[in-house]
Amino acid sequence: MPDIDPNLIIDVTGNTASVATDYSTSGVTNAHVQLVKLVYGASTSGTRVTTTTPLPVDVRLATATVGVTGSVSGLGNFHILNGLSGSTAIPLVVSGTTAAGYTPVQINGYVQGTTSGVPLAVTGSVYVIDGARVQGITTGTAINVTGGRYLSSSNDSVTVSGTVGITGGRYLLQSADSVRIFGGNGGETMIPVTLRSGSGDSIGSSGGALNVNIVGSGFTASVSVAAIVGISQADQSVPLFVAGATAGPAVRVKGTLGANSAVEVGWSTAQNVAVTSSVESNAQLITAVETLQNNYVSPIVTNTDNIVNIYDKLNGSGVNAQITGFSRPGSVYTGNTTIGVSGGSLGSQQLKTGITLKAVGGDIRVKGASSSGVYLLSSGEILFVETNNLSNLTFTTSSGSATLYYIAT
């Protein structure tokens, strides 16, 4: 039977040694494949291959393309050259990253394009330090710059020297363009403007308001008027006339509190009807008051002898009265209920006289709705309570339970 154990025991002059192997791996059937660690060096030395001491390899000329996958990094300083294939330039692509821990790509010298080349694309922020020059080569293709950002007045400054010539361009469009003009203080509110009319005359102002003259037909305006409005006559020698409408209510005229001069009330012929109607209404009111006083108030004031006699009786020997009868209750309510420690009630029935209570099988504590104390109703005891509603009484026991019998009218 063949030995299929992954490790082989080798007999060495009476001793044994264990050699690590894989048994029956892919490509090898029913056989051991020994596991070997790589060591390099001269015949008198050996260095194990690790991540810190990798296996030295020389890349020689190959007839086919050598493919490399994964990241390729160099140790120390090394050069990357841009080769040429005949007369065609092979571009060298340089890419940065926005990940943390990396520094921007630094360029020393010139950055220039080539004839019939691809424009140099720049994304993200671009900083020009120490006067770096970006230009094209002689008889070459101009360097195109795409992307970027708008200049900001808070971060950027532009200095223009010499004569600036402008060619081409276009007219500004109201639908597409906007122009911002800054004042001398750097803000946008300190720009002096002179307004002129169509004839060239200056349009005046008063303080912060613009003088406006309304010419032509009138206009409609909504105004807010205080609840109390004072009206005075500019010429004190001429009276101020207040007139009401013919079919309207009476006009009330009130003098100023503390004024020295009296208030004169008069009316013209046009308002005579309204004032006369108001005076007639007041006369009818006065007549009604006089009738009320003569027919109802005066008899009470003059015939007061009986009132005095009643007062003397109440404060002296008393008033004799004879009771001829009284109304009996028309309904009688009876029943019983079990009362425990948690308490109970008999409902909210309206009563005319009261309720008779009896405790059976234990003592019951009776409490009024508006009282803090209790009455102890002993077992077998009968109690009558005057009340107008069953809800005025509540019941509990100190322990156990008892039956409460009642009859109410």
Side-chain angles (χ1 to χ4, degrees):
M1 179 178 180
D3 185 1
I4 62 174
D5 192 286
N7 296 327
L8 295 178
I9 305 300
I10 300 175
D11 186 6
V12 183
T13 60
N15 295 322
T16 60
S18 179
V19 179
T21 67
D22 278 344
Y23 183 78
S24 189
T25 59
S26 177
V28 179
T29 304
N30 298 328
H32 291 271
V33 178
Q34 185 177 355
L35 303 181
V36 179
K37 286 189 175 181
L38 292 180
V39 177
Y40 67 90
S43 60
T44 58
S45 65
T47 302
R48 289 190 177 186
V49 177
T50 63
T51 55
T52 56
T53 57
L55 181 66
V57 176
D58 289 338
V59 179
R60 301 294 182 175
L61 180 62
T63 58
T65 302
V66 178
V68 179
T69 59
S71 301
V72 178
S73 59
L75 300 177
N77 297 325
F78 64 96
H79 298 281
I80 299 177
L81 300 179
N82 190 3
L84 295 176
S85 177
S87 60
T88 303
I90 300 176
L92 177 63
V93 179
V94 179
S95 176
T97 179
T98 58
Y102 291 87
T103 57
V105 177
Q106 298 184 3
I107 300 175
N108 295 323
Y110 301 112
V111 177
Q112 61 186 23
T114 60
T115 305
S116 302
V118 180
L120 178 64
V122 179
T123 59
S125 301
V126 178
Y127 301 93
V128 179
I129 305 174
D130 297 334
R133 299 175 60 187
V134 179
Q135 64 183 36
I137 61 175
T138 305
T139 67
T141 304
I143 297 177
N144 298 324
V145 179
T146 60
R149 63 173 177 84
Y150 293 102
L151 296 178
S152 173
S153 60
S154 60
N155 298 325
D156 305 311
S157 61
V158 178
T159 302
V160 180
S161 303
T163 302
V164 178
I166 300 177
T167 59
R170 63 176 176 82
Y171 291 102
L172 297 178
L173 299 177
Q174 181 180 3
S175 60
D177 303 310
S178 61
V179 179
R180 301 177 68 182
I181 302 176
F182 292 87
N185 64 339
E188 302 179 42
T189 59
M190 299 296 293
I191 304 176
V193 177
T194 300
L195 300 179
R196 297 186 181 276
S197 64
S199 60
D201 297 332
S202 298
I203 299 177
S205 61
S206 177
L210 184 67
N211 295 338
V212 178
N213 294 326
I214 300 175
V215 180
S217 59
F219 66 96
T220 302
S222 298
V223 297
S224 298
V225 181
I228 300 176
V229 180
I231 301 175
S232 60
Q233 181 67 278
D235 188 357
Q236 298 295 329
S237 61
V238 180
L240 178 64
F241 293 95
V242 179
T246 302
V251 178
R252 301 180 62 185
V253 180
K254 183 179 180 180
T256 303
L257 183 63
N260 295 326
S261 59
V263 178
E264 296 182 1
V265 180
W267 56 85
S268 61
T269 305
Q271 281 71 42
N272 190 26
V273 176
V275 175
T276 302
S277 176
S278 177
V279 172
E280 291 177 353
S281 298
N282 292 336
Q284 294 174 359
L285 178 61
I286 294 173
T287 302
V289 173
E290 290 177 349
T291 302
L292 177 64
Q293 179 179 359
N294 294 332
N295 296 339
Y296 299 98
V297 179
S298 297
I300 295 175
V301 175
T302 55
N303 300 324
T304 59
D305 295 340
N306 293 331
I307 298 177
V308 174
N309 294 333
I310 294 173
Y311 176 80
D312 293 339
K313 291 290 185 181
L314 293 176
N315 288 276
S317 59
V319 178
N320 298 325
Q322 180 181 0
I323 300 175
T324 60
F326 58 89
S327 177
R328 300 280 183 178
S331 300
V332 177
Y333 307 96
T334 61
N336 63 86
T337 183
T338 301
I339 303 298
V341 177
S342 59
S345 62
L346 300 179
S348 58
Q349 179 63 48
Q350 291 284 344
L351 303 177
K352 287 186 175 295
T353 57
I355 182 172
T356 300
L357 304 172
K358 182 178 180 180
V360 177
D363 299 340
I364 296 177
R365 305 170 70 183
V366 183
K367 179 179 181 298
S370 59
S371 175
S372 59
V374 297
Y375 175 83
L376 183 60
L377 180 64
S378 301
S379 178
E381 181 183 356
I382 298 176
L383 173 67
F384 176 77
V385 180
E386 291 185 353
T387 181
N388 63 351
N389 198 301
L390 291 177
S391 62
N392 293 331
L393 299 175
T394 58
F395 310 93
T396 60
T397 61
S398 58
S399 63
S401 62
T403 303
L404 178 66
Y405 291 87
Y406 64 92
I407 179 170
T409 56

